[in-house]
Amino acid sequence: MRGLTRARSARSGRGFGALARAGALVAVLLVAHTAAAQPRPFREYPGFEGADAAAPLPEDWQVPAELVIGRLMYPSAGGGFRRGGDWRQGNTGWTDDYPKADRLLVQMLRRLSRANVRAVEQPVNPDDGDDIDYWPFMIVGLAMSMQLTDAQAANIREYLLRGGFMFCDSFFGDRNWAYFEESMKRVFPDRPIIDLTDDHPIFHTVFDLPGMTKVMIPHESMVRYGRGGGLGAGQTPRWRGIADDKGRLMVLIAFNNDNGDAWQWADDPRYPGELVNLSLRLAVNVAMYAMTH
């Protein structure tokens, strides 16, 4: 079943493409079955960080590509993050660092890899049936604020088991971990969340990143106001994940880390350049791992 995600994505011209041509035969076999399905078009939503996370629409935003950075949309609650309004219209937890961080990540993937990446991200609503299967790599911002319904959790579970990948990021502290874990248990009630070690392939897929599990990618307030800044004071970075039955990582969890802020604030001289570079190299590894495992 894992080939279904890749086949749909390759057929649409917006997913794995050339990086998944090993699955081309599967795509041919499945194309008749999925011919009626179409991916949702690109759209933008307001982000709750306003101008700090705003980004211009690139000139080539309409050009299709082999890989698209997905951004999971979800209902927000927990972790003290409660914002009014309809999550399906943006301006809630899933828009953390959005869209600026996503578009900077696209630029770096284009620069640091050979992947053909679309210029703009794709917001993905797990209530939109099998649309989620078109976007095999997704970022989950402010991950502790997810409050998934049973139906959303089931759809995400199928997506991951079919070959999809989620990068859960931007949350700190034990209380917020508890909120996040509760939501992930709806997705995978029986699969453990494991601590990754420095020799895990995800840290060596393109760039060798020795000692990555000991590194904290800080929230921007930690940089401006000192370590802590009201978030995660005294916390230890934890790089965790959820694997399938064959050991393939389906979910990377950057707990007590904020990679989205490293991308969002990459051009701000106050944010440490060495951590920006490290986080972006990690992101290249994660994207390539997601597409090749």
Side-chain angles (χ1 to χ4, degrees):
M1 295 301 292
R2 185 173 155 220
L4 184 57
T5 295
R6 294 188 175 188
R8 288 175 176 170
S9 299
R11 183 175 58 80
S12 72
R14 303 184 184 189
F16 286 122
L19 293 171
R21 283 175 183 159
L25 178 59
V26 177
V28 170
L29 295 173
L30 288 171
V31 67
H33 176 71
T34 60
Q38 292 293 328
R40 289 288 302 274
F42 168 72
R43 65 268 192 199
E44 286 186 294
Y45 296 93
F48 74 81
E49 293 185 79
D52 283 343
L57 195 64
E59 291 184 0
D60 58 343
W61 69 273
Q62 292 180 302
V63 178
E66 295 166 345
L67 171 63
V68 177
I69 302 301
R71 164 75 61 159
L72 183 68
M73 304 168 65
Y74 58 78
S76 287
F81 187 89
R82 300 180 183 274
R83 184 175 289 268
D86 186 346
W87 63 273
R88 292 165 294 187
Q89 302 301 318
N91 199 36
T92 57
W94 70 264
T95 65
D96 184 45
D97 309 318
Y98 162 91
K100 186 176 180 180
D102 304 45
R103 295 179 192 176
L104 189 281
L105 176 58
V106 167
Q107 294 175 32
M108 292 302 103
L109 282 169
R110 287 176 162 184
R111 183 179 303 174
L112 299 175
S113 77
R114 295 183 179 181
N116 179 13
V117 189
R118 197 178 74 179
V120 287
E121 68 295 328
Q122 180 73 17
V124 180
N125 185 337
D127 288 331
D128 285 342
D130 65 359
D131 180 69
I132 194 172
D133 290 336
Y134 285 94
W135 321 105
F137 175 74
M138 281 198 294
I139 296 167
V140 185
L142 210 67
M144 87 285 185
S145 71
M146 284 192 299
Q147 190 175 54
L148 301 174
T149 66
D150 289 342
Q152 290 168 345
N155 202 17
I156 291 171
R157 177 168 58 250
E158 288 301 311
Y159 159 78
L160 293 169
L161 291 173
R162 291 179 179 201
F165 191 96
M166 295 198 320
F167 184 4
C168 300
D169 185 45
S170 305
F171 65 119
F172 294 79
D174 291 342
R175 183 182 179 189
N176 287 334
W177 173 261
Y179 286 119
F180 169 79
E181 188 175 35
E182 177 184 359
S183 215
M184 285 306 300
K185 287 297 183 184
R186 295 184 186 180
V187 178
F188 286 123
D190 302 321
R191 290 186 183 272
I193 296 175
I194 59 175
D195 284 296
L196 304 183
T197 56
D198 285 329
D199 61 353
H200 193 282
I202 204 164
F203 300 128
H204 306 279
T205 301
V206 178
F207 298 101
D208 282 321
L209 304 177
M212 189 70 213
T213 64
K214 303 174 183 64
V215 176
M216 175 184 282
I217 305 298
H219 186 274
E220 58 89 18
S221 68
M222 298 177 178
V223 175
R224 285 190 297 166
Y225 305 119
R227 194 169 190 270
L231 290 172
Q235 297 296 327
T236 301
R238 300 290 186 193
W239 298 86
R240 293 171 169 165
I242 301 174
D244 67 10
D245 292 339
K246 295 183 178 180
R248 176 189 71 95
L249 204 62
M250 300 180 287
V251 181
L252 176 64
I253 305 162
F255 174 50
N256 287 335
N257 285 282
D258 198 335
N259 291 271
D261 266 14
W263 310 336
Q264 177 185 349
W265 299 97
D267 57 358
D268 190 319
R270 294 173 297 180
Y271 199 100
E274 67 275 11
L275 293 179
V276 171
N277 291 333
L278 181 60
S279 180
L280 288 169
R281 283 180 286 162
L282 170 73
V284 172
N285 277 13
V286 175
M288 296 302 105
Y289 178 95
M291 291 188 292
T292 57
H293 288 69

